[in-house]
Amino acid sequence: MKNFSLSLYAFHLHHTLTELPGEVVRDANLLWENLVKVGEGSLPFVGLKNLRSKLICYQNGKYDPKREIGRIPERLIDAQDLDLGSLPTIEGFKINANLQPFLLNDTYAVDLTLVAESLNIPIDISQLQHFKPSSLLPSNIQASLGQTLSIYGEVEPSENCDTLAEKLAIALVAGTNLNPVRSQQGKLFGSLLFEYQALDPNEPDNPAKQCHILIIINNSQVTTATLAAEAYDWLLNLLCSYHKIRYIYQLARQRYREVRTIYSELENKIQIFNSLISKNQTQLSGLKSLMGEIPQKNFDYIRCLQDLQIHHTAITTNITNYRICLEKIQTIDSGNSPQSWQDFLNKDCKKWQEQIQTDINYLTPGQELFGKFVDTIRGIVEIKQTESDRSLENKIQVLGIGFGGGAIASGIFTTHIDKINLPLIPKHPLYASLTLSIIATLIFIALGWLFTKGK
């Protein structure tokens, strides 16, 4: 392949709705730090080692995202691109590299492109390893939203492009557990396009562990490179939207699994509640125990449902952005675009968007149900607590009347004990006074009970 290039397009989350303006996610600079590590290791380009000194989001080697505030250009450098220098190979030719860093709304994006020093140097499968593609795989880059590896090359019309693309895809991920599977085939700017997905078998749903591969083979001497340069911004934003759509959908599926677990737990609490109120004597302690657990679960449920609604808005926005980019690319390519990209928009995006909305519709009634459940338990607990408090108050009042009245009567009996002569009362003054006091206390307790009952 001549006019060969290997490009990494990686996308990493910069901030979310939970961060204050000017703040970023905890590992926002991970993309830049990992690129520096690649420069210090397998691809020791001088410019890649010193990348921090070129990015505006760094100052004196320290990450400082506040320096991005108010910057209008999307690029994070003051030039069009950054020349990283060149590296020699054992076969006598050099590899040149350049890098373009971006901040696309809430996403860091990078384009790292490696090319042979001369367009006419032929690159075969074995020579691909001089470009150290393994250093550009997800295990090293760790872009949270995902990444695309793209190869472009020009071949003779007689070349078996299907076989070549397959060998290139396998060579890109050689020595890893990634398994490239061809997902689509089509044309981009007149050249053949072969699209692969290489998933990590241990974490197939983790965007940071996946590698999207595009292999573009020009076998008809069309002006693909010129048209791609013209459509560069739209291609970059299309890939960004593509990875964000996949990332958001996986977040939504994860949130849906979490909210289904909470739904099941709350349903179990409802069964416990039904068991409690079906008894003749509702257990106040049991209701209080439920009150200590259910509000938090209900809050978690509401939060998960809210996140699903946010994901639906986000995926809808990115689908719109993807459509706009695809239309612009079609305009540049005389109305053409890869059918697989159009299918992704019309089939996958539509299905995922509808799935999230279906999940929201399915779970929304539960929000009202569990909210009423909390209110019901709270109301019963308040009633039971009030009844318990009133019962205790009545008991205290009855005993107060009884003991108070008994104490008064005891004082009277003690003063006039010698004048009291009843057949059942002991003759001894002390015992007589004690007996009469007890009788008086019981009488006053009975009167107090009748009084509070009537009240």
Side-chain angles (χ1 to χ4, degrees), residues 43 87 89-91 93 95 126-133:
L43 289 174
L87 292 177
T89 67
I90 60 175
E91 298 196 25
F93 68 89
I95 297 175
S126 62
Q127 291 171 327
L128 175 62
Q129 297 309 314
H130 295 317
F131 293 78
K132 302 297 175 62

Side-chain angles (χ1 to χ4, degrees), residues 115-135:
V115 298
E117 62 178 331
S118 172
L119 301 181
N120 295 320
I121 295 177
I123 303 296
D124 58 25
I125 299 300
S126 62
Q127 291 171 327
L128 175 62
Q129 297 309 314
H130 295 317
F131 293 78
K132 302 297 175 62
S134 61
S135 64

Side-chain angles (χ1 to χ4, degrees), residues 249 345-356:
Y249 181 68
L345 177 65
N346 296 334
K347 296 178 182 178
D348 294 339
C349 290
K350 182 180 180 182
K351 179 179 68 176
W352 295 344
Q353 184 183 30
E354 290 177 350
Q355 181 62 62
I356 297 175

Side-chain angles (χ1 to χ4, degrees), residues 163-197:
T163 302
L164 177 60
E166 191 75 19
K167 291 180 178 179
L168 287 170
I170 294 173
L172 280 177
V173 298
T176 72
N177 64 344
L178 297 177
N179 180 32
V181 176
R182 184 183 297 183
S183 56
Q184 299 289 344
Q185 178 178 343
K187 281 195 170 185
L188 177 63
F189 301 130
S191 292
L192 299 176
L193 172 66
F194 302 89
E195 192 166 357
Y196 292 81
Q197 284 290 349

Side-chain angles (χ1 to χ4, degrees), residues 85-126:
S86 62
L87 292 177
T89 67
I90 60 175
E91 298 196 25
F93 68 89
K94 293 182 179 180
I95 297 175
N96 298 331
N98 68 76
L99 181 145
Q100 297 185 64
F102 303 88
L103 175 57
L104 306 177
N105 297 316
D106 61 353
T107 302
Y108 277 141
V110 67
D111 167 8
L112 172 59
T113 297
L114 311 178
V115 298
E117 62 178 331
S118 172
L119 301 181
N120 295 320
I121 295 177
I123 303 296
D124 58 25
I125 299 300
S126 62

